[in-house]
């Protein structure tokens, strides 16, 4: 594989996890449909803290709701005002929201972009007003006007999924062949290529030696062809439709799918629904199915035997790190990063803070997700 795909494994200092409720703080500030960004309530904000704009892609995925609410809580506790906006996965809407945040006097913009290649013009406006920009979990490309990037080690996320499949099936020991269907994330999300490449660097050898057989033929032949199996917008319904098409076209009788690479939980949810509709049953030949994000519906599926694992990116830790970065930017302090080589947005290498993800399996749900306070036991029926 080209070195441009390789990620650096960078250890970072442990970020303290907050267990306070994330439900507060967002309901009065966010909107999927409003294109005008309105500053958040100033209750608890000390004078002079300033406005921080937070642009999130959509409310449709659980993780973005958690991320947005947590950032608002942290930043307002630190004395800032906040403007949290969701853009319903519409690029023009996100651009309008960012413009309004700039015009409202935001000191810093925290942006989880929908399409990381379309924000150049609006970020020129930000730069003209000396507004600093932190790309949140998705790299903003094709512009010099992104100052920092904070994310998880996304190549490692894919590696963890690939390694889980490798170990669960015993591929290293020569077991197989297994019928395998690979999926990839949204082609307009910069992270998706890292997720897929991390997994493919593990699994490609087994496709080539025949231990993983892809009846649908949808196995990328080159690094760039991952987009051919990408699900635009990370839609569960689209993933379900694609899986149903593969099952109807290439499977039947004694031919069963035995393993599915899903890069995240949204896709895994749709894939699981397709499998259920095709007559697959948990505990009776259900395929190995990967995921990412530890969404509640998927954790419940894991406990029900309908998903094998998820890669958990504790978004509270990401929010903690980004809130600290915001404070450092505003105060003029040195901003905490730990990777200044890897993330080239085609204009510049963006200074980056990387956090480590972790694998969660049905057996570790309580220890990892409940004992840490990410979910309550009642959330998961435990």
């Amino acid at each position: 594989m080209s070195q441009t795909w390789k990620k650096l494994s960078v250890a970072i200092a442990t970020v303290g996890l907050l267990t306070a409720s994330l439900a507060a703080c967002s309901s009065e500030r966010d909107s999927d449909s409003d294109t005008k960004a309105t500053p958040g309530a100033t209750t608890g904000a000390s004078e002079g803290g300033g406005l921080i704009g937070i642009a999130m892609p959509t409310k449709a995925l659980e993780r973005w709701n958690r991320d947005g609410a947590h950032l608002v809580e942290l930043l307002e506790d630190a004395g800032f005002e906040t403007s949290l906006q969701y853009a319903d996965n519409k690029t023009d809407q996100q651009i309008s929201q960012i413009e309004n945040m700039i015009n409202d006097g935001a000191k810093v913009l925290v942006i989880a972009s929908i399409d990381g290649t379309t924000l150049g013009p609006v970020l020129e406006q930000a730069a003209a007003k000396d507004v600093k920009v932190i790309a949140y979990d998705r790299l903003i490309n094709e512009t010099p006007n992104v100052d920092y990037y904070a994310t998880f080690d996304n190549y490692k996320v894919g590696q963890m999924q690939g390694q889980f499949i490798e170990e669960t099936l015993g591929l290293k020991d020569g077991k197989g062949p297994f019928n395998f269907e690979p999926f990839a994330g949204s082609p307009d999300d910069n992270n998706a290529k890292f997720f897929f490449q991390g997994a493919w660097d593990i699994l490609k050898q087994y496709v080539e030696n025949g231990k993983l057989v892809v009846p649908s033929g949808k196995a990328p032949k080159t690094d760039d062809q991952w987009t051919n199996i990408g699900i635009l917008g990370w839609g569960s319904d689209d993933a379900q439709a694609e899986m149903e098409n593969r099952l109807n076209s290439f499977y039947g009788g004694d031919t069963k799918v035995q393993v599915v690479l899903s890069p995240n939980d949204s896709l895994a949810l749709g894939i699981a629904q397709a499998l259920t509709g095709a007559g697959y049953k948990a505990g009776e030949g259900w395929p190995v199915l990967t995921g990412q994000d530890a969404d509640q519906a998927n954790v419940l599926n894991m406990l029900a035997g309908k998903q094998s694992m998820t890669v958990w990116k504790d978004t509270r830790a990401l929010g903690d790190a980004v809130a600290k970065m915001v404070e450092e930017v505003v105060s003029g302090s040195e901003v905490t990063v730990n990777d200044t080589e890897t993330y080239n947005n085609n204009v510049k290498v963006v200074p980056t803070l990387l956090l480590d993800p972790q694998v969660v399996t049905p057996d570790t749900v309580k220890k990892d997700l409940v004992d840490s306070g990410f979910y309550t036991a009642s959330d998961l029926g435990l």
Side-chain angles (χ1 to χ4, degrees), residues 280-326:
Y280 288 77
K281 296 181 180 180
E284 300 177 24
W286 189 271
V288 173
L289 175 61
T290 62
Q292 174 192 182
D293 291 329
D295 286 349
Q296 185 175 6
N298 296 79
V299 177
L300 292 171
N301 264 2
M302 287 168 60
L303 296 173
K306 292 189 173 183
Q307 186 169 322
S308 308
M309 61 87 81
T310 191
V311 179
W312 181 38
K313 303 186 302 186
D314 190 341
T315 54
R316 297 169 302 178
L318 183 60
D320 293 348
V322 170
K324 180 182 177 184
M325 293 171 80
V326 168

Side-chain angles (χ1 to χ4, degrees), residues 3 28 30 38 41 77 87 100 107 128 138 163-164 206 229 245 260 288 299 310 335 362 369 382:
Q3 287 300 315
E28 296 180 0
D30 53 26
T38 55
D77 283 350
N100 289 329
K107 290 186 175 181
R138 292 178 173 180
Q163 288 165 350
F164 181 88
Y206 301 112
I229 56 171
N245 180 62
V260 182
V288 173
V299 177
T310 191
V335 177
L369 302 180
L382 296 174

Side-chain angles (χ1 to χ4, degrees), residues 48-70:
L51 176 66
I52 309 301
I54 305 168
M56 291 286 163
T58 180
K59 282 185 175 180
L61 295 183
E62 177 187 327
R63 69 145 303 182
W64 297 121
N65 294 295
R66 285 181 172 269
D67 286 47
H70 187 47

Side-chain angles (χ1 to χ4, degrees), residues 43 87 90 160 212 259 269 272 299 305 319 354:
T43 303
K90 297 175 182 175
M160 288 175 163
L212 291 176
V259 55
L269 198 63
V299 177
L354 284 177

